[in-house]
Amino acid sequence: MTISGAVLEGRRIEIRGIVQGVGFRPWVYRVARQSGVTGRVHNDAAGVTIEAFGDFAALEQFVSRLHADPPPAAQISGFQQAPIPAELDSDFVIVPSVDAGAPRVSIPPDLATCSQCAAEIADPANRRYRYPFTNCTNCGPRFTIAADIPYDRASTTMAPFEMCPECRREYNDPGDRRFHAQPNACSDCGPQLTFCAFTGDRTGVDDPIAAAAEALNCCLIVGIKGLGGFHLACDATCADVVGRLRERKHRDEKPFAVMVPDLAAAEAFAIIGDEERVLLTSAERPIVLARKREATTLAENIAPRNTMVGLLLPYTPLHHLLLAAVNGPLVMTSGNRSDEPIAFRNDDAVQRLGGIADVFLMHDREIETRCDDSVGTVIGGRGVVLRRSRGYVPRAVTLRRPVARPILACGAQLKNTFCFASGDHAWLGPHIGDLDNIETYDSYREGITRLERFLQIRPEVIAHDMHPDYLSTIYAQERREVIRAPVQHHHAHVVSAMAEHGLWGPVIGIAYDGAGYGLDGTSWGGEILVADAGAFVRPATFRALPLVGGDRAIREPWRIALALVVDAFGDDLPPAARSLFSGVPDNDVCLVGDVLRTRMPVPLARGVGRYFDAFGALFLRRQTASFEGQVALEWNQIADPTVDDAYPFDIIETGSPWELDLRPAVWAAVADMVRGATVPAIAARFHNTIAQATAALVRRVVSSFGRLPVVASGGCFQNARLAESVRAALAPEHDVRLHAVVPPGDGGIALGQAVIADAMVNDKDSGLRAEGY
């Protein structure tokens, strides 16, 4: 078709990835208008489809800009174009979405404040100057304010706030970046801040942000209502107020996150590489764990005995304004008492946090869904999500093979998240936490009900852990109208990594964590599996250690350390080994020693995490742990990066499964200490031993099962040194696939449960003999 001498062409452009709910169609509209292209754009089940018409030069410019500068929260994973017949359209339009029938969550994640909105609130000439609820299609609240579907203003907690004429004009203008931004508002028509006493009574101050900043500068604790719940904030440079916060929150030593105003401030407190910068400035804006710099102004009790610090940048206009007013780093920790869910309603915050916060900075926009901050770090040169919540949820994970029936996977007991799967998508819910009390369990149940409604999924299959006492298992058993599929914990870990990497199996799976329900009467956690989605075999494991006192041994890891040395040396401990328990009361050592020597029945644990606890408690002389994994974390962080040799180990192949025996490593480590080796050197050799032993086990599995892809999962692979050492020990013949977008710990296990349940219930072919199914 030729118009005015120009040859008119048509192209269909299909874009896949994270392109819905991120302002993508309005952005395409603006780019098309600027490029002189006509046509239309719509969402469909797979992503976004564009039908564009113009001359060759205009279409080339249009396509080039689509590639070059997508919206901040968009991630393009597929881009295809093909010629179509030209049409003589007069304009470019956004048309209604095409419904393909499969459920697709229409509610996007919450997104950090974009640079344009941040500039507006800092500009005295702008009508949104200092307005703390400024947002647009590129940023702002989404998931946390959605009350129902479809995602429009009437179905959000913004419904009570009627837009003023100017906000309405922006909302209706396809050329405006606030086109169909559901939370759009300004100071004339939107939510407002209030500054309150700890009782919740309003103080009547004219500038709540200035009042909160003054309270923070006076070393008070401020409860701040944020995007997905309340934070407890205080001056991160004042050890006294940090100590008071710890005391009131009942959080002895677990690290606090620190919010800083910008990247320059982050770099003053921690070593920030390229990948850390990417995570810190991403639209998801997680807390990023980075190595602390020495001699900073941060209070030492922010992260006691910890070489890492969790930093995050402001992700709401309120944060930007508050950080600018304070002009310093702030502790920004979840608004709860330890082990409780985060407070997210004003009255609940006053009731539960009134004894912790001195004052409150609140607002009148309700939060519909509580959502904790996400956490990430860098492992092996890649960003890894350790806690997947705000900013990521409810974004889907694409499955290589569609599930045959809708599935709910209930997750684990600790660091719980649940997962829905339907078609070729799986949706991990927000971080719930440890299901150890009724408040958290209630939050878990509410979260499942809400996401089930948003997705319009009615599960026909419910997957759960095999442990009968997990509250997630009890929840699954209460839902009697569905098929229930019990899934082995470490198989689920391995399959979660498979699902993330698009593998169906079989694979060699390395599953290292603290504990998981085993099929042989022991607690597993040091497992080498050969697995596909439907079954697994277990060719190798770690030698079991007795846990005298059960879970008490995890809180008092000296008990595991004593079990380690008694297992290695027998009843007659050498003086050097006995001296390592000099800080433990003699009566306690004798009592636990008697249980070990007489072989009284106690739980047996094979978890690699328990070996970290044992070696760490032994050589760091740590008697107690105030939070799960604390001693293992310190043992990891103290390891000398310049030490590259390892201790000996044995692989016992007389039975099935093979057992990795670390008693030779215990003998060598104690001898190392006697010879005067430093604790950092011993810690480094321990790490190197685990890595080399893992590589030896994998190579033996290859000799029996053939060369297969290798994946690594489980909480131990949050340890960057271990993950990188295992990968290096198996290179170059094996490329170990690590997690990135799905947490390696129990926060990602529900994804594996969902995929396994689908394979089990629908009899998908497996070439493996199933263990325990």
Side-chain angles (χ1 to χ4, degrees), residues 547-573:
L547 298 185
V548 179
D551 287 346
R552 185 175 176 183
I554 299 170
R555 298 188 298 272
E556 300 177 9
W558 68 266
R559 294 166 176 265
I560 315 175
L562 186 59
L564 181 81
V565 296
V566 168
D567 186 47
F569 292 103
D571 295 345
D572 189 18
L573 297 185

Side-chain angles (χ1 to χ4, degrees), residues 230 343-353 362 366:
F230 277 78
F344 70 114
R345 301 197 188 282
N346 291 355
D347 55 352
D348 180 47
V350 170
Q351 181 180 352
R352 290 204 285 133
L353 306 181
M362 295 185 178
E366 294 295 329

